[in-house]
């Protein structure tokens, strides 16, 4: 029976690798927004062959951020193809749910689009026993503002206008504020249908941080995971908002770029005061993330992002997804697998595929510290 199970796992892993290669080929063939070069399934096989499985074994459960789902899917497929007998189960829910699960001790790590709050760090000490939860930046990327407006395939907005749209202060697509930013574009006299997340979300919090910094006069809400403004319509997860935007003429919403790419949803360019509006691309997000500073202490690598950058080409509405782990006191039965898997995610190969999937790799200097910290987990 053990031999049969092992063979089944090996077959599953090999099949997963083939699917991963097919996914990347599809993305590269159909996407005109990514700035990364395409890599075929042969390169994915090479990446998988470079994975160090170490002493990884058994099943590793993780959960959290839906923004990183598409990156996590590729990582898991490549990793399981290389490490026979290991099963990584990532439940794409929300940042809030992931942190709750981590602090309850039911997952080996959590994905969160916002760094742990002080009270969440304090709560994590129960699960970590001898240590506490820390933030490891692993995935970067733009928070795309996707829209569905018949006849309009190019749209520019700025932070104050976005704030008024999501606060339901601007209600029509031909509002003078939108028209001023889009001279020559025929905007319809159509109601705006603004969608936001229904559950606690780090993506929501990052949008709030951006609007609070870049449109302080128009966005008076605290940057929290729970959607703060009245009105609008709610949907679950980044996938849920993307699905609604795709279906509803007049809709606008926010989600990680890969959801826009996979569903061919047009995205808003943001007027920042630079030489030209910044498009939501991996390259432009990297320009903004590269200016981030580490604000965490000790092994915590939480970042301070500049949401008001006017650097040419820098797309300011970005998020960084953290993998939350214990600095010490990780569960012995999953520690080796956590370290092996996250080492792959932070490796050159693991970071390389982020661009292909619509994400932005973590800047080299910061990522070097991530690798060092992962290696030190105990």
């Amino acid at each position: 029976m053990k031999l049969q199970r092992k063979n089944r796992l090996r077959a599953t892993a090999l099949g997963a690798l083939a699917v991963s290669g097919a996914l990347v080929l599809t993305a590269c063939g159909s996407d005109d927004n990514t700035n990364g070069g395409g890599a075929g399934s042969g390169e994915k096989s090479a990446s998988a062959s470079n994975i160090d499985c170490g002493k990884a074994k058994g099943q590793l459960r993780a959960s959290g951020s839906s923004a990183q789902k598409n990156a996590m899917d590729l990582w898991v497929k490549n990793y399981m193809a290389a490490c026979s007998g290991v099963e990584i189960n990532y439940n794409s829910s929300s940042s809030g749910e992931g942190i709750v699960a981590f602090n309850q001790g039911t997952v080996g790590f959590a994905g969160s689009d916002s760094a742990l709050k002080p009270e969440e760090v304090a709560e994590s000490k129960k699960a970590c026993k001898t240590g506490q939860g820390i933030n490891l930046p692993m995935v970067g990327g733009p928070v795309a503002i996707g829209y569905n407006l018949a006849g309009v395939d190019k749209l520019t907005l700025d932070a104050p206008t976005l704030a008024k749209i999501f606060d339901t202060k601007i209600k029509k697509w031909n509002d003078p504020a939108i028209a001023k930013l889009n001279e020559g574009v025929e905007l319809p006299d159509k109601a705006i249908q603004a969608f936001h997340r229904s559950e606690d979300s780090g993506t929501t919090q990052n949008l709030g941080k951006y609007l609070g910094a870049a449109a302080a006069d128009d966005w008076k809400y605290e940057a929290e995971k729970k959607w703060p403004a009245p009105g609008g319509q709610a949907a679950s997860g980044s996938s849920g908002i993307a699905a609604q935007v795709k279906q509803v003429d007049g809709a606008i919403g926010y989600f990680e770029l890969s959801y826009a790419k996979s569903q061919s949803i047009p995205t808003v360019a943001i007027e920042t005061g630079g030489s030209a509006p910044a498009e939501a691309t991996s390259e432009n997000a990297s320009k903004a993330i590269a200016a981030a500073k580490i604000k965490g202490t000790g092994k915590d690598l939480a970042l301070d992002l500049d949401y008001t950058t006017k650097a040419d080409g820098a797309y300011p509405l970005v998020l960084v997804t953290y993998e939350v782990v214990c600095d010490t006191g990780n569960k012995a039965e999953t520690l080796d697998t956590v370290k092996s898997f996250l080492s792959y995610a932070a490796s050159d190969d693991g970071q390389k595929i982020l661009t292909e999937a619509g994400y932005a790799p973590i800047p080299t200097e910061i990522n070097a510290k991530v690798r060092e910290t992962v290696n030190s987990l105990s």
Side-chain angles (χ1 to χ4, degrees):
M1 292 297 290
K2 289 184 178 179
L3 179 58
Q4 290 176 346
R5 183 174 183 273
K6 184 175 182 181
N7 288 336
R8 287 198 301 271
L9 285 168
R10 183 178 291 112
T12 300
L14 290 172
L17 177 59
V19 172
S20 174
L23 284 172
V24 174
L25 285 171
T26 300
C28 295
S30 62
D31 173 48
D32 59 3
N33 289 326
T34 182
N35 290 284
S41 58
E43 289 182 76
K44 285 296 169 291
S45 297
S47 296
S49 69
N50 292 332
I51 294 173
D52 181 4
C53 302
K55 298 179 181 179
K57 60 184 181 298
Q59 184 183 75
L60 172 62
R61 292 184 176 275
S63 68
S65 166
S66 65
Q68 70 168 354
K69 177 185 183 299
N70 295 326
M72 190 61 68
D73 284 349
L74 285 175
W75 283 338
V76 168
K77 288 169 183 173
N78 283 350
Y79 185 84
M80 288 177 60
C83 302
S84 178
V86 181
E87 181 182 351
I88 310 294
N89 185 348
Y90 181 78
N91 177 29
S92 172
S93 50
S94 69
S95 298
E97 293 175 66
I99 290 173
V100 169
F102 177 79
N103 284 342
Q104 289 177 342
T106 60
V107 294
F109 70 88
S112 176
D113 303 324
S114 294
L116 293 168
K117 294 180 179 180
E119 59 268 29
E120 292 171 335
V121 173
E123 184 70 18
S124 74
K125 293 179 180 179
K126 299 176 183 177
C128 295
K129 307 299 183 185
T130 62
Q132 64 183 39
I134 56 172
N135 305 282
L136 301 179
M138 202 71 73
V139 182
V143 177
I145 303 295
Y147 68 96
N148 181 347
L149 195 57
V152 178
D153 56 9
K154 188 175 183 180
L155 187 69
T156 297
L157 298 172
D158 59 12
T161 306
L162 281 168
K164 292 171 186 174
I165 287 173
F166 282 110
D167 200 17
T168 63
K169 297 294 188 348
I170 291 179
K171 301 180 184 296
K172 290 290 190 73
W173 278 109
N174 62 348
D175 187 276
I178 300 177
K180 184 178 180 180
L181 292 164
N182 295 275
E183 293 183 5
V185 177
E186 189 173 343
L187 297 166
D189 182 15
K190 183 182 293 292
I192 296 173
Q193 306 288 335
F195 285 88
H196 58 263
R197 292 282 286 271
S198 59
E199 77 284 10
D200 286 1
S201 161
T203 311
T204 293
Q205 189 169 33
N206 277 277
L207 175 63
K209 288 178 180 178
Y210 165 70
L211 294 176
D217 291 339
D218 299 292
W219 190 257
K220 301 297 186 179
Y221 307 101
E222 293 294 324
E224 299 290 349
K225 292 186 176 71
K226 183 177 179 62
W227 181 256
Q233 301 181 59
S236 177
S238 294
S239 59
I241 292 184
Q244 290 298 319
V245 171
K246 180 72 173 180
Q247 295 170 11
V248 178
D249 188 21
I252 189 170
Y254 57 95
F255 34 78
E256 186 273 326
L257 180 61
S258 67
Y259 291 93
K261 291 167 48 148
S262 65
Q263 299 192 46
S264 300
I265 298 172
T267 59
V268 168
I270 295 182
E271 176 60 62
T272 65
S275 60
E279 301 282 350
T281 67
S282 297
E283 181 182 7
N284 290 346
S286 290
K287 292 177 182 178
I289 296 172
K293 306 295 183 185
I294 295 176
K295 64 179 180 180
T297 59
K299 293 183 179 181
D300 185 80
L301 300 177
L303 301 178
D304 187 13
L305 299 170
D306 181 7
Y307 295 102
T308 61
T309 179
K310 292 180 173 59
D312 283 349
Y315 184 82
L317 179 45
V318 295
L319 64 75
V320 169
T321 296
Y322 301 95
E323 311 311 337
V324 177
V325 296
C326 299
D327 53 359
T328 64
N330 292 277
K331 291 184 177 180
E333 60 269 27
T334 56
L335 175 61
D336 289 331
T337 308
V338 167
K339 293 176 68 171
S340 174
F341 177 72
L342 294 184
S343 291
Y344 163 60
S347 70
D348 289 339
D349 288 335
Q351 290 290 298
K352 178 182 177 182
I353 65 175
L354 292 180
T355 300
E356 298 161 359
Y359 297 92
I362 299 301
T364 302
E365 289 186 9
I366 297 173
N367 194 45
K369 295 181 179 180
V370 173
R371 296 182 194 182
E372 179 183 344
T373 302
V374 170
N375 189 54
S376 73
L377 299 179
S378 61

